[in-house]
Amino acid sequence: MSLFPLFLKLTARPCLVVGAGAIAEGKIAALLESEATVTVVAPQADPRVEEWAASGEITLLRREYQTSDVEGMFLVVAGTNVPPVNRAVYAAATERGILCNAVDDPPYCDFYFPSIVRRGELQIAISTAGESPAFAQQLRKELNEQLPKDLGPWLMELGRLRREVTAVEPLGEPRKMLLHQLAKREVCGAQDCPTRMIAREHMASIKRVS
Ligand SMILES: C[C@@]1(CC(=O)O)C2=NC(=C\c3[nH]c(c(CCC(=O)O)c3CC(=O)O)Cc3[nH]c(c(CC(=O)O)c3CCC(=O)O)/C=C3\N/C(=C\2)[C@@H](CCC(=O)O)[C@]3(C)CC(=O)O)/[C@H]1CCC(=O)O
Ligand SMILES: NC(=O)c1ccc[n+]([C@@H]2O[C@H](COP(=O)([O-])OP(=O)(O)OC[C@H]3O[C@@H](n4cnc5c(N)ncnc54)[C@H](O)[C@@H]3O)[C@@H](O)[C@H]2O)c1
């Protein structure tokens, strides 16, 4: 199987989660993290899901799933403990061209959830295409140990600097080389790192000329 990897922008997109137990809860958390507009349908909800509903972060429909729930959704996750329900959700979504994941049920998934290592805006998503979720999880833990803890703030600063550079330096080889220099973590950890100084001087000289 050859899966297509991508990172979705879900901000304000309507997403449905069917089920509100332990497994659904993790999916809801991930969707909220991506600023999706989340609707959850389940007769029984775990406490954390109830809290999200009470604080208005999600819409919780306290009843059994019905086919019309998938209408207008951008993405659907079927995470009940009743496989036939999850499969019916998948069928309803598929009929309408909506992407769906029936948790832990590969034939009823248009996409799989990856294992994620995260540092701020940096995300490393691991997929084994379902060959071994346990290995995906172990690799996540290994990478998490190895990656510096402060990569998130460092990347934000790098992004800021990159925007400064791209605002004044036109597309081309010198700009590309400069950006590669800046992206070298070893030399650019500190504010006074030499490459940053070079970048700032370079930009200042461009401003002086123009
Ligand atoms: C990555 C992660 C993300 C997440 O779930 O968000 C994820 N599973 C995780 C953990 C995990 N899942 C399972 C175990 C027990 C050990 C084992 O089986 O290996 C463990 C480990 C544990 O829990 O210790 C059981 C399991 N999982 C699937 C099946 C069905 C089957 O294999 O047929 C069964 C058997 C169920 C049964 O026995 O009935 C299927 C899927 N699980 C996937 C994702 C998708 C493929 C991902 C990939 O490999 O690329 C896929 C295809 C569909 C999907 O659900 O999206 C998350 C780790 C997050 C983290 O901690 O970082
Ligand atoms: N909990 C785990 O650690 C774990 C691990 C691997 C796989 N799974 C699998 O994931 C699935 C979900 O597990 P869980 O632990 O979250 O279950 P759970 O029992 O905690 O929650 C099930 C949820 O589904 C809802 N539900 C049941 N019927 C429904 C219907 N017709 N319409 C809408 N909602 C309905 C329930 O109200 C509840 O909110 C199961 O298939 C389970 O085998 C669970």
Side-chain angles (χ1 to χ4, degrees):
M1 192 189 314
S2 189
L3 297 174
F4 184 72
L6 51 73
F7 286 89
L8 283 179
K9 293 183 181 179
L10 286 184
T11 303
R13 294 279 198 181
C15 297
L16 177 72
V17 178
V18 184
I23 290 300
E25 188 186 306
K27 311 303 176 190
I28 298 166
L31 289 170
L32 286 176
E33 185 98 354
S34 292
E35 299 168 355
T37 300
V38 181
T39 300
V40 178
V41 57
Q44 298 291 327
D46 276 13
R48 194 153 167 237
V49 181
E50 287 289 358
E51 279 171 28
W52 283 319
S55 62
E57 286 167 89
I58 62 165
T59 302
L60 176 59
L61 308 173
R62 290 180 187 79
R63 56 161 173 78
E64 291 200 344
Y65 157 82
Q66 54 198 41
T67 309
S68 58
D69 293 331
V70 303
E71 297 288 354
M73 293 295 164
F74 182 74
L75 203 77
V76 173
V77 179
T80 78
N81 55 342
V82 188
V85 171
N86 294 345
R87 291 173 181 192
V89 174
Y90 176 79
T94 304
E95 258 172 43
R96 291 162 180 78
I98 303 164
L99 295 179
C100 181
N101 172 293
V103 174
D104 286 2
D105 203 353
Y108 299 86
C109 288
D110 294 313
F111 62 92
Y112 295 153
F113 283 94
S115 197
I116 303 279
V117 184
R118 187 156 193 171
R119 296 286 190 280
E121 296 290 0
L122 175 74
Q123 293 193 66
I124 302 173
I126 303 161
S127 166
T128 72
E131 293 299 318
S132 173
F135 175 64
Q137 190 182 67
Q138 287 171 28
L139 192 58
R140 188 234 324 144
K141 288 177 181 167
E142 276 176 38
L143 290 174
N144 194 37
E145 287 298 311
Q146 285 169 27
L147 274 188
K149 296 283 171 262
D150 63 351
L151 267 188
W154 176 82
L155 179 62
M156 265 176 75
E157 169 61 15
L158 181 62
R160 229 175 277 133
L161 206 49
R162 178 173 183 270
R163 279 185 287 278
E164 278 182 44
V165 171
T166 53
V168 291
E169 177 83 31
L171 252 179
E173 227 20 64
R175 172 166 125 178
K176 197 156 92 176
M177 281 174 64
L178 184 60
L179 293 175
H180 273 288
Q181 276 301 316
L182 289 173
K184 288 189 196 305
R185 189 153 41 90
E186 312 76 55
V187 290
C188 277
Q191 265 309 317
D192 60 351
C193 93
T195 345
R196 274 166 204 244
M197 312 272 255
I198 293 166
R200 294 206 191 280
E201 278 167 22
H202 183 71
M203 286 186 284
S205 72
I206 290 172
K207 281 179 188 154
R208 275 198 298 277
V209 172
S210 58

